[in-house]
Amino acid sequence: MDIFDLLSYKLEHFLNARPYPKALGAVFYKEDEPSLLRVVAKKHNGSPFSVSRWHDLFSVGTFEKAMAKSGFTEGDCYALLLVLSRFGYLLEIDNRQRTNKDYFIFFYLIQLISLKNSALDADAQLRNYVLRFLLFELSIDDEVYRRFSVEGHRLMMTTDALGPVAFLDVIDRAYKAIKADDRKEHELLRTLKHYQMDVINLLTTPDSARHRFVVNDRFSELMYPDVFLHAYENDRKRVFIALVDTTNPFQSTENLFVSNIILMNYSFHVLNDKPREILKLKKYVNDPALFGRLLEAIITRRMSVNKALFENLPTGQDLSLIKDDEASFYNILYRL
């Protein structure tokens, strides 16, 4: 299966409430509630089974006892079951709402998928930071998400007694513990295992694929951190032009998505560590009103920066006029 195809289809729904249906394969989407599409696979009788409910196929108590024989504690098992369940929610499509959580999840996914193939993050410092925020957005508590890290190009899980173990190996042991190949739903379990491993590989394992969303926007390449950072270093005018255009009131939903991700890249990779860089944007814009709209968009986007970061800088703007509240929705640019 191609997990990126599923992710691309999720984005299609995020940008368009009525996209054309797409044939996806062994793992696909099924409407569970009106406008809520779950990621599912087929049971042996053909009925859909939610990927997020994979643990319903076996006794958790028996599973924990079997894993204990290999040195895994109850806490290890809880973390494993929780994360793999949340991987089922990762690509869920909810057409009932559009929130900032959606944007953060897309942003973190783009970062991980891009940086794994880039030399920009050789020590995995950025990927670890992003990974934990992604797990947080999936409602995974800090006690669990702190167990997970990227080392080199492998997702590792810190266990209570065995120390760090490659998460792909943990998954393999888990399916052996439940004797997946001997069960009536062995085909379904095989599909679920492949899905879970493919998610991990998409996020952490380098490959030769150039993962790009099909988005009709001339600045779409700047969504990807490797492209954005190279452009900021070598063709900053291109980045500034794209940033200025994020305030264009006539954007399509595709343009709006790209604009938000570009703003998030600028905040996360540039302003977070070097807030004075905003003054270079101010100089380029050379228009107080336009710069004020840009500064509001950056702050309201709430990616790694807030008003306090700019309070001691000569921005020429009254920051008290910017409403930086938690109720701001994803389409903040349309309010400018």
Side-chain angles (χ1 to χ4, degrees):
M1 71 188 71
D2 191 330
I3 298 298
F4 192 74
D5 279 351
L6 286 168
L7 179 57
S8 296
Y9 194 52
K10 176 184 173 78
L11 179 59
E12 286 181 34
H13 274 265
F14 185 70
L15 302 179
N16 177 4
R18 297 192 303 271
Y20 279 107
K22 179 184 292 185
L24 293 169
V27 175
F28 55 98
Y29 284 104
K30 176 74 174 179
E31 191 169 52
D32 182 54
E33 300 174 17
S35 299
L36 178 63
L37 284 70
R38 303 284 191 192
V39 182
V40 301
K42 287 183 179 180
K43 300 178 72 172
H44 76 283
N45 62 5
S47 62
F49 180 85
S50 175
V51 171
S52 64
R53 303 299 306 175
W54 77 287
H55 49 78
D56 287 347
L57 294 170
F58 52 89
S59 164
V60 172
T62 303
F63 165 72
E64 289 176 346
K65 290 178 182 178
M67 291 293 284
K69 295 177 181 178
S70 299
F72 291 88
T73 66
E74 184 177 330
D76 295 335
C77 292
Y78 170 77
L80 167 66
L81 293 171
L82 181 62
V83 169
L84 293 185
S85 296
R86 292 296 190 269
F87 279 174
Y89 291 125
L90 180 62
L91 302 181
E92 186 179 88
I93 294 171
D94 190 349
N95 284 326
R96 302 170 301 183
Q97 58 183 345
R98 298 291 187 273
T99 68
N100 274 320
K101 176 186 276 290
D102 297 304
Y103 261 109
F104 285 120
I105 287 176
F106 276 119
F107 176 80
Y108 296 138
L109 288 172
I110 289 171
Q111 299 298 307
L112 289 169
I113 294 169
S114 300
L115 290 172
K116 72 174 187 177
N117 287 322
S118 171
L120 288 171
D121 189 38
D123 60 1
Q125 183 176 350
L126 277 175
R127 279 173 290 159
N128 275 303
Y129 185 80
V130 167
L131 173 67
R132 290 182 175 180
F133 272 97
L134 175 63
L135 296 179
F136 170 80
E137 291 295 340
L138 294 175
S139 301
I140 295 172
D141 58 85
D142 62 340
E143 185 177 343
V144 171
Y145 73 62
R146 290 183 186 281
R147 289 175 176 263
F148 293 88
S149 62
V150 178
E151 296 183 14
H153 294 295
R154 296 194 300 172
L155 180 62
M156 306 297 292
M157 174 181 169
T158 299
T159 62
D160 293 330
L162 303 174
V165 181
F167 196 42
L168 290 176
D169 293 339
V170 177
I171 294 174
D172 194 53
R173 295 189 199 188
Y175 278 87
K176 288 178 180 177
I178 63 173
K179 299 180 179 179
D181 291 340
D182 299 329
R183 292 178 174 268
K184 180 173 65 174
E185 294 292 353
H186 61 276
E187 289 291 343
L188 172 60
L189 285 165
R190 186 176 296 116
T191 297
L192 296 177
K193 180 182 179 183
H194 284 315
Y195 170 85
Q196 293 158 352
M197 289 186 157
D198 285 352
V199 168
I200 294 168
N201 284 325
L202 177 65
L203 299 183
T204 61
T205 306
D207 52 44
S208 58
R210 189 171 178 270
H211 299 288
R212 293 291 188 261
F213 292 118
V214 179
V215 182
N216 186 11
D217 187 302
R218 70 177 184 272
F219 296 127
S220 63
E221 282 291 309
L222 292 175
M223 292 193 298
Y224 307 101
D226 50 338
V227 177
F228 179 89
L229 288 169
H230 183 271
Y232 194 78
E233 185 68 27
N234 299 282
D235 188 8
R236 191 163 300 176
K237 182 178 178 181
R238 178 188 173 199
V239 175
F240 285 167
I241 291 172
L243 285 168
V244 168
D245 213 44
T246 62
T247 62
N248 186 330
F250 303 108
Q251 297 178 75
S252 69
T253 53
E254 289 180 307
N255 299 148
L256 186 61
F257 179 79
V258 173
S259 290
N260 273 269
I261 300 300
I262 290 174
L263 283 171
M264 294 167 90
N265 270 330
Y266 182 54
S267 296
F268 183 79
H269 292 291
V270 179
L271 298 180
N272 185 32
D273 293 324
K274 300 177 181 178
R276 291 191 66 86
E277 288 289 302
I278 196 72
L279 300 179
K280 295 179 181 179
L281 178 61
K282 176 189 176 185
K283 182 178 180 180
Y284 172 81
V285 172
N286 195 30
D287 180 332
L290 176 55
F291 177 69
R293 292 196 295 273
L294 263 172
L295 187 59
E296 180 179 0
I298 290 165
I299 291 172
T300 312
R301 182 62 268 159
R302 296 202 304 277
M303 169 53 70
S304 302
V305 302
N306 54 34
K307 287 193 288 187
L309 195 69
F310 306 110
E311 284 179 349
N312 297 320
L313 297 179
T315 62
Q317 302 294 317
D318 185 352
L319 299 179
S320 67
L321 298 177
I322 297 177
K323 296 180 180 180
D324 181 22
D325 60 86
E326 292 296 322
S328 299
F329 288 100
Y330 82 103
N331 59 342
I332 48 113
L333 300 183
Y334 281 153
R335 299 190 297 103
L336 302 180

